[in-house]
Amino acid sequence: MKPINLAGHELEHPVMIGAGTCKTVSDLEQALRTPASAVVIGSITRDSRTGNSGDVYHDGGHFSLNSLGLPNPGLEYWRINLRYYVEGYDGKNPDRKPILASVVGFNPEEYGMMTRLLVMQKASGIEINLGCPNLWGEEGQKPIPSFRPDMVRAILTSVGSEIGFDHCIGVKLSPFSDPDQLKVVARTIADFVDLIKFVTVSNTFPNAYATHLDGTRCISFEGSSGLAGMAGRAMKPVALGQIQQLRSILPAPIQLIGVGGISSGQDVLDYLRAGATAVQVVTDYLNRRKASMDEILIEYVQLTEQPEPQAPA
Ligand SMILES: Cc1cc2nc3c(=O)[nH]c(=O)nc-3n(C[C@H](O)[C@H](O)[C@H](O)COP(=O)(O)O)c2cc1C
């Protein structure tokens, strides 16, 4: 397979496992046993979170809904464990695959502090998650930074003040339905071209809603309105459109990672053709685990390494 270069890391191929799948070291070990070329852990928050409990994930076949509420063991857990995996001690990570960490802060300073600590623990890269729609407080839904250029600027300023420019730092965005808003946020990110090496698109589509045949909500837990982030196959054209638009706005050195509805080798190829350097798989990996990565890669290799037709003798 042809290796790719993602922000200074050589990846064996472009197919990674995306954020939301690896919350603990046992999840990470499982992901490292697949043929994925790199893994994103998290999203990690400063403090551990239990997340929501009840019907928090729904597989609707052509889409998935989730409102997990960012369950994760917190920054300290990964501060202790991450380095062992990145550096491959005790046979952990035998292929020395890059391990990126996805971070969510509740203010710009927290994003900066977490990024610095995880870089110090040798994270291969940091994905700054600006797009989680599933955080609700007493005052309602928390703002989604992706849609607030002022918040994006404040977060990236904070991250930039904590670390130098020679790290693999990227941002993950929500999908924009307003092309002008996408342009404003892309130009804000472009102002940080020395810091930001990649943009991952896209996170789940916020505030989707679905019911079972009997009218009951697919996403249901105490305090929930049934709204949730949508992902899965239905997201592919949306995310491909984001890639296409962002590629034409962002400076060339900022690479794009496509995520949304990937479950086949053809999907991977479609994202690369739209302008992505690499891709991530989430819903399909959650549903099928190693078989997902095996099958996607077998098909991707078949599609990309077909022998050239021989000229007739
Ligand atoms: C169950 C679940 C949990 C997720 N958790 C996170 C997360 O913690 N951080 C994040 O950046 N994205 C998270 N996502 C979003 C995915 O990383 C991805 O952007 C989105 O699901 C689209 O990809 P897919 O269609 O392959 O699922 C989650 C998605 C799902 C389905």
Side-chain angles (χ1 to χ4, degrees):
M1 264 181 285
K2 210 163 136 216
I4 59 139
N5 187 301
L6 180 72
H9 292 291
E10 181 165 295
L11 268 52
E12 195 189 344
H13 57 74
V15 187
M16 309 163 60
I17 291 179
T21 55
C22 293
K23 303 282 185 180
T24 62
V25 294
S26 88
D27 296 336
L28 177 58
E29 285 174 12
Q30 197 181 356
L32 290 171
R33 284 195 293 270
T34 74
S37 61
V39 176
V40 184
I41 57 168
S43 294
I44 304 168
T45 50
R46 189 191 70 181
D47 300 322
S48 65
R49 293 172 58 88
T50 48
N52 304 321
S53 71
D55 296 331
V56 296
Y57 179 76
H58 172 72
D59 176 15
H62 56 290
F63 70 95
S64 73
L65 287 185
N66 91 82
S67 184
L68 269 52
L70 277 181
N72 78 94
L75 180 62
E76 183 60 12
Y77 175 92
W78 284 111
R79 204 183 61 74
I80 294 166
N81 288 299
L82 181 59
R83 194 181 194 130
Y84 291 99
Y85 287 86
V86 178
E87 298 196 329
Y89 297 140
D90 298 336
K92 294 172 162 64
N93 194 5
D95 302 322
R96 298 295 300 275
K97 294 178 183 178
I99 301 173
L100 288 78
S102 164
V103 298
V104 168
F106 289 100
N107 55 57
E109 293 68 35
E110 227 171 72
Y111 274 103
M113 175 275 292
M114 292 178 69
T115 299
R116 179 173 48 79
L117 273 180
L118 291 164
V119 164
M120 280 166 61
Q121 294 311 311
K122 304 287 179 200
S124 313
I126 304 293
E127 191 176 79
I128 299 166
N129 180 3
L130 301 177
C132 184
N134 298 323
L135 294 170
W136 297 69
E138 279 174 7
E139 64 298 347
Q141 190 167 24
K142 291 191 190 298
I144 300 173
S146 288
F147 301 132
R148 305 280 190 92
D150 53 334
M151 285 177 91
V152 173
R153 186 172 295 284
I155 291 165
L156 298 190
T157 302
S158 165
V159 171
S161 72
E162 293 275 355
I163 54 162
F165 293 152
D166 51 348
H167 299 290
C168 171
I169 308 290
V171 296
K172 181 167 179 187
L173 297 175
S174 296
F176 294 89
S177 55
D178 176 350
D180 285 333
Q181 197 186 23
L182 177 145
K183 277 187 201 142
V184 173
V185 171
R187 287 182 187 134
T188 306
I189 294 169
D191 287 344
F192 294 84
V193 64
D194 292 330
L195 175 71
I196 297 302
K197 309 296 189 299
F198 67 90
V199 173
T200 304
V201 270
S202 59
N203 210 312
T204 51
F205 190 92
N207 294 9
Y209 182 79
T211 52
H212 297 292
L213 292 179
D214 64 3
T216 56
R217 293 168 175 175
C218 296
I219 297 296
S220 166
F221 54 88
E222 203 188 325
S224 160
S225 53
L227 299 174
M230 192 190 77
R233 288 215 302 275
M235 276 302 291
K236 183 182 159 192
V238 175
L240 276 175
Q242 306 286 302
I243 292 278
Q244 244 233 16
Q245 293 172 82
L246 286 167
R247 190 61 290 160
S248 67
I249 302 167
L250 288 171
I254 299 182
Q255 295 176 306
L256 288 168
I257 301 179
V259 53
I262 294 175
S263 62
S264 71
Q266 184 64 52
D267 293 333
V268 177
L269 209 51
D270 292 343
Y271 271 91
L272 301 186
R273 285 174 175 156
T277 299
V279 299
Q280 298 174 353
V281 182
V282 178
T283 295
D284 194 56
Y285 175 69
L286 287 171
N287 290 343
R288 299 196 293 143
R289 297 291 166 176
K290 185 169 178 296
S292 155
M293 302 309 293
D294 287 342
E295 286 172 29
I296 289 172
L297 276 158
I298 288 168
E299 197 193 49
Y300 174 71
V301 170
Q302 281 167 355
L303 288 168
T304 53
E305 296 185 7
Q306 277 160 354
E308 293 290 317
Q310 298 290 311

